[in-house]
Amino acid sequence: MAEKIYSIKIKEAFNEKCGCPVCTLRNLLEKDEIQRILGAAMMEPDIRKETNKKGFCKNHLEKLATGGNKLPLALMLSTHLEELDKKLFKGGSKKAAGAYGDARKSCYLCSRVAGFMNSVADNICYLYSAEEDFRTLFARQEYFCKTHSAKLLEMAEKTLGKKDRIAFADTLTAVNKKYIDTLKEDLDWFCKKFDYRYEKEDWKNAKDSIERTVKYLS
Ligand SMILES: [Zn+2]
Ligand SMILES: [Zn+2]
C-alpha cells in the first residue's frame, strides 16, 4: 500500500501535540519540497517541465524568493517566463484571457502539496483503522484545523468501513469540540477581566485567548 510511506512522519507530527498535526506535517512537506526544487531537482527535466508549465502562486513565489538559492530560482523562473510567453502572446484576446486565467490559478507547489495531503489523509485513516495506539494518539490531539477536519472526514467517508468511519468522525468531533469549548471559556474570562468586579482576579489562561482563537479560525 503506497500510502503507508507517510506513517513515520504522521506519527512524529501527531506526537508533537502542538496545534493541528496535519498542518505541522503539511508545513514540513512543503518546506522539503521547496528545498528540493531549489536544489538538485531543479535540473531534472521532468520537474523542470512541470514548473515551466505550472509556475507558482503568490504565496509560493514569496517562499521561493526567500529560500536562499537565487540561481536555481532565476533559471526556473526564466524558463517559466519563456513558456508563458508562448501561451499568452499567440492567438487572439479571448485565448489570451483564458491563458492569463489559467496562469493565475496554476502553481507547481500547490499541486504537489495537495497530492501529498491526499496521501497523508489516506494514510491517517489507514493508521486509525489498523493501529490501536494511533487511535489513542489521534484522540489526544489539541485540535484539527477546519481545512484538515474537512479533508480527513471526506477521506474517512471514502476509505473506511462503517464502524471505523463513525468512530473516526466522533473522535475528531470530540477533539475539536473540547478545543472550541476551552477557547470559548478563555474568551469569556478575557471579557470578564474588563469588568471592575473581576479586575483583581487571576487571568488564568485568558491572556492569549484572542491569538489562539485567531490561529484556530485562520
Ligand atoms: Zn490543519
Ligand atoms: Zn502555490
Side-chain angles (χ1 to χ4, degrees), residues 86 168 184:
K86 281 184 235 158
F168 185 88
K184 232 189 124 299

Side-chain angles (χ1 to χ4, degrees), residues 26-42 56 59-69 72-73 76 107-110 112-113 116:
R26 183 211 169 276
N27 295 341
L28 192 84
L29 293 171
E30 181 188 57
K31 220 167 124 193
D32 286 351
E33 188 64 13
I34 289 174
Q35 289 308 313
R36 200 173 77 94
I37 61 163
L38 287 178
M42 192 270 307
F56 302 97
N59 167 38
H60 282 127
L61 281 168
E62 282 166 4
K63 285 183 175 158
L64 286 166
T66 53
N69 293 347
L73 179 60
M76 207 160 45
C107 171
Y108 172 81
L109 282 167
C110 279
R112 285 288 289 175
V113 172
F116 295 150

Side-chain angles (χ1 to χ4, degrees), residues 20 22-23 145 148:
C20 172
V22 192
C23 279
C145 74
H148 294 133

